[in-house]
Amino acid sequence: MDGSVKGSDASSATKVEAPGPTEIRSHLVRTELLKASVWLGVALLIGLCIVLIQPILLIFGAIVVASMLDGGTRLLGRILPIGRAWRLLIMCLSLAAFLVWTMMFAGSQIASQAATLQTVLMTQVERGAAWASDHGIGSFQIDTQTITENLAGTVGRVTAAVGTVIGGITSLVMIVVLGVFIAIDPRLYERGVAWMLPMKTRENFYVTIDHMGFTLRRLMAGRLLGMVVEGIGTWLACLAVGIPMAALMGLLTGLLAFIPNIGAIVSGVILVLVGFSAGTDTGLWAIAIYFIVQTVDGYLIVPMVAKQTVDLAPALVLGAQILLGALLGILGLALADPIVAMIKVALEREAERNARPGKSKAAAGSP
């Protein structure tokens, strides 16, 4: 009897189970399913990025802020032989002090000037439309509501989230706070991202990130230098020739200098319209100021920065601004320049790796 039991156990142990309905033994089917899964994952990832494009842009904006703080901290280290944490604290306190000073001493003046800026601009636009109609160029019916609706229709859906005053302030605070946290210990986040990559690609990742950080720091340093030069230069020149709202013109010119190409055009149009509101001579002075300031920035500051960073073609940057501005709104327009710079650095790094066949073969043959 024991023998029969043992025999039944042995037969049950050696019994081959039949495949279930989910068992796929065909190699071709498994391969095709794997490919389909990869493509489905890529599609889901793209869809997730589209849905989460606003926080992604906010995070990238925080990285840009962190690069500015990190660059200032490194520059301060050449003067003050103190710890990095103290130097970063000095940078943050200096930024906060500048913002407080601007709001306390220049805030009331700029606020009063901003209240009349829209009226002045609309009056000048209406005069231009009337002049064009009188000279047979065309008939224009322009009002504030039409212009506002047209501008709102040219930006992406991200603008709806940050277009209001409260939304803009909230987004700005989030970008600054997140940027400060990243600037405190950027290596921590680099190691976190590298941990999710395969071991054989981590060394290249660290080298690429270092190149990106260097480029972004120099690019933002040049951008800040251009903002300061254009803002202060426009403010002093407007005061000297009597252009109205000089403080506001300097502030707008400095802020819009962060956006290359398009920012200069917008600030120039505003400056010229405000200048002609005070008379023909003042308008001509405004045109002269605009060209002088842009010449200094274009022929002195921009070439100096381009030597230390990637040299971006103006048409490439302008095309990226148009595309990202239409798709992503104001944030995409403002961050188009650093985004293009980072993509170019990554592509150049990949081209350098592919240009070294010996190391590529060694890396491919390594387990």
Side-chain angles (χ1 to χ4, degrees):
M1 185 174 181
D2 292 339
S4 63
V5 172
K6 291 181 180 179
S8 62
D9 292 341
S11 62
S12 62
T14 57
K15 182 180 179 180
V16 179
E17 296 185 1
T22 59
E23 184 75 19
I24 300 176
R25 294 192 173 187
S26 174
H27 178 71
L28 177 62
V29 174
R30 287 202 304 267
T31 302
E32 294 301 323
L33 283 177
L34 180 60
K35 292 180 180 179
S37 301
V38 171
W39 283 111
L40 180 60
V42 172
L44 291 176
L45 181 61
I46 294 175
L48 186 63
C49 291
I50 294 174
V51 173
L52 300 177
I53 189 62
Q54 180 194 350
I56 291 175
L57 284 179
L58 293 180
I59 293 173
F60 188 81
I63 294 175
V64 172
V65 173
S67 68
M68 296 186 207
L69 294 175
D70 185 55
T73 302
R74 292 170 181 261
L75 184 62
L76 196 61
R78 300 181 181 180
I79 305 174
L80 298 177
I82 57 179
R84 172 185 168 81
W86 292 105
R87 287 183 274 122
L88 180 60
L89 179 61
I90 292 175
M91 291 297 302
C92 294
L93 292 178
S94 301
L95 177 61
F98 172 75
L99 294 177
V100 171
W101 177 84
T102 302
M103 289 186 293
M104 290 180 59
F105 292 93
S108 59
Q109 181 182 4
I110 293 176
S112 62
Q113 293 178 359
T116 60
L117 177 62
Q118 181 178 354
T119 304
V120 172
L121 292 180
M122 289 307 304
T123 301
Q124 292 302 104
V125 171
E126 291 173 357
R127 288 181 179 177
W131 179 87
S133 299
D134 295 339
H135 288 77
I137 298 178
S139 179
F140 300 93
Q141 298 294 332
I142 300 176
D143 56 9
T144 306
Q145 184 178 1
T146 302
I147 295 178
T148 304
E149 292 176 353
N150 291 334
L151 290 177
T154 59
V155 295
R157 64 182 183 87
V158 178
T159 308
V162 297
T164 62
V165 176
I166 297 177
I169 294 176
T170 303
S171 300
L172 181 61
V173 171
M174 292 174 59
I175 289 175
V176 173
V177 172
L178 186 59
V180 171
F181 279 115
I182 296 176
I184 291 175
D185 190 4
R187 295 295 181 183
L188 174 65
Y189 305 97
E190 292 179 8
R191 292 192 298 268
V193 176
W195 177 77
M196 296 183 290
L197 300 176
M199 291 289 294
K200 61 181 179 180
T201 62
R202 293 184 183 180
E203 181 180 358
N204 177 62
F205 169 77
Y206 284 125
V207 175
T208 304
I209 286 296
D210 288 339
H211 288 182
M212 285 184 173
F214 174 81
T215 300
L216 193 58
R217 287 193 300 269
R218 293 299 179 94
L219 183 66
M220 291 300 103
R223 192 71 74 244
L224 290 176
L225 179 61
M227 293 171 64
V228 171
V229 170
E230 291 191 28
I232 296 179
T234 302
W235 172 49
L236 295 178
C238 289
L239 282 178
V241 301
I243 295 178
M245 297 176 284
L248 184 59
M249 291 299 98
L251 178 64
L252 290 177
T253 302
L255 292 177
L256 290 172
F258 184 82
I259 307 175
N261 301 323
I262 296 178
I265 296 173
V266 175
S267 62
V269 170
I270 295 175
L271 178 62
V272 172
L273 290 177
V274 172
F276 276 103
S277 68
T280 304
D281 294 339
T282 310
L284 295 177
W285 274 113
I287 295 175
I289 292 172
Y290 170 75
F291 280 107
I292 292 174
V293 170
Q294 295 302 321
T295 299
V296 172
D297 182 60
Y299 288 93
L300 293 179
I301 299 176
V302 172
M304 179 179 63
V305 175
K307 292 179 181 179
Q308 302 293 333
T309 60
V310 291
D311 190 8
L312 299 175
L316 176 63
V317 176
L318 183 58
Q321 288 175 337
I322 295 174
L323 179 62
L324 294 179
L327 293 177
L328 307 177
I330 298 175
L331 283 177
L333 180 64
L335 298 176
D337 191 25
I339 288 175
V340 172
M342 296 302 96
I343 293 175
K344 186 175 181 181
V345 170
L347 294 177
E348 288 178 347
R349 171 61 185 167
E350 187 64 23
E352 290 177 1
R353 292 183 62 217
N354 295 333
R356 293 177 290 183
K359 293 187 178 181
S360 299
K361 292 180 180 178
S366 61

